[in-house]
């Protein structure tokens, strides 16, 4: 296992202080089409997304001071927050990464946005990059 | 202009302290196939790249303490360094961004790796994300 596990860049998550300003910036300067803001209560964020080729850029503004993205902004300021890669079989991927000794935040898949199965690799385990794995297809499956 | 300027994610640049260890990590844990290390004298880095779908991950280790990537590592530690988007016409894109008041590092295209025409948007001008624009095609053109 492990061969060619990463199928594509699903999305990049950017942490921003002001979602409206960031969305306007990408709309006006780059001709992107950010989606209507959507609150993700469980993560304590409001997001707006736009497509770039086969991937998505996800702008994220915290909605409460104890959300992970708020803490990230306090510590690091605005900027890149995480990358998400598509994998075909998430459980198999996590088993393999566990065997390899990779430090995981989620040892089992959990439900992310749109009901997709996702899991995070700890940035300590991935040379400083917070890395999300998203299972192919299965939008709202289960 | 500006409509749909960003065609795809060309690559993500990750700053690492130890290129060999990072390449081994992506090879062994994710089944990626990082290229042989290549020195980019002008940038003061040695890089190794691997494909993910339609994009590339570029691992970058500094070769001298005054290179921009070395300074980045001192300041921020290992992790995401920049994102590169493909654009069709770089000169037109830069003119448009200038008109929009976006803060640019390069006001004119310069030659990047493989002879491609590239330019950087300042992270101050892009919500904290160092953003490279790479012109389509034209590998080693001109």
């Amino acid at each position: 296992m492990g061969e060619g596990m990463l199928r594509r860049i699903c999305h990049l998550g950017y942490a921003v202080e002001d979602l409206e300003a960031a969305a306007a910036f990408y709309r006006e300067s780059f001709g992107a089409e950010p989606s209507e803001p959507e609150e993700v209560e469980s993560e304590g964020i409001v997001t707006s997304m736009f497509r770039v080729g086969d991937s998505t850029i996800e702008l994220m503004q915290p909605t409460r001071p104890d959300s992970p993205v708020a803490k990230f902004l306090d510590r690091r300021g605005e900027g890149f927050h995480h990358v998400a890669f598509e994998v075909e079989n998430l459980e198999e991927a996590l088993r393999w990464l566990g065997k390899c000794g990779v430090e995981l935040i989620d040892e089992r898949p959990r439900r992310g946005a749109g009901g997709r199965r996702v899991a995070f690799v700890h940035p300590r385990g991935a040379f400083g990059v917070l890395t999300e794995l998203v299972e192919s297809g299965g939008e709202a499956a289960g």
Side-chain angles (χ1 to χ4, degrees), chain A:
Chain A
M1 227 318 277
E3 274 154 37
M5 187 197 287
L6 308 177
R7 296 306 181 90
R8 74 182 165 96
I9 297 175
C10 213
H11 65 262
L12 306 182
Y14 291 0
V16 301
E17 301 279 2
D18 181 340
L19 186 68
E20 209 177 305
F25 169 74
Y26 281 103
R27 187 184 304 113
E28 288 158 20
S29 303
F30 293 96
E33 297 182 4
S35 61
E36 283 302 303
E38 194 180 325
E39 194 166 340
V40 186
E41 175 60 35
S42 61
E43 303 286 335
I45 53 172
V46 55
T47 71
S48 178
M49 291 172 236
F50 58 91
R51 304 276 319 158
V52 174
D54 205 23
S55 305
T56 302
I57 306 293
E58 186 179 344
L59 306 170
M60 309 180 296
Q61 178 195 316
T63 53
R64 47 174 202 257
D66 65 338
S67 80
V69 173
K71 288 178 193 165
F72 177 90
L73 284 169
D74 287 346
R75 225 171 37 238
R76 309 272 297 182
E78 290 188 307
F80 172 89
H81 178 267
H82 72 275
V83 58
F85 294 111
E86 185 179 295
V87 302
E88 197 162 292
N89 184 323
L90 184 55
E91 251 153 28
E92 206 176 302
L94 293 173
R95 253 198 314 275
W96 173 258
L97 294 173
K99 265 192 207 164
C100 292
V102 174
E103 189 174 354
L104 303 171
I105 293 176
D106 303 300
E107 297 196 356
R108 291 171 187 289
R110 60 186 178 85
R111 293 283 166 199
R116 291 172 307 178
R117 285 151 59 91
V118 307
F120 280 86
V121 177
H122 200 289
R124 269 196 306 265
F127 294 81
V129 179
L130 176 58
T131 301
E132 182 179 1
L133 304 176
V134 178
E135 193 161 80
S136 302
E139 243 80 341

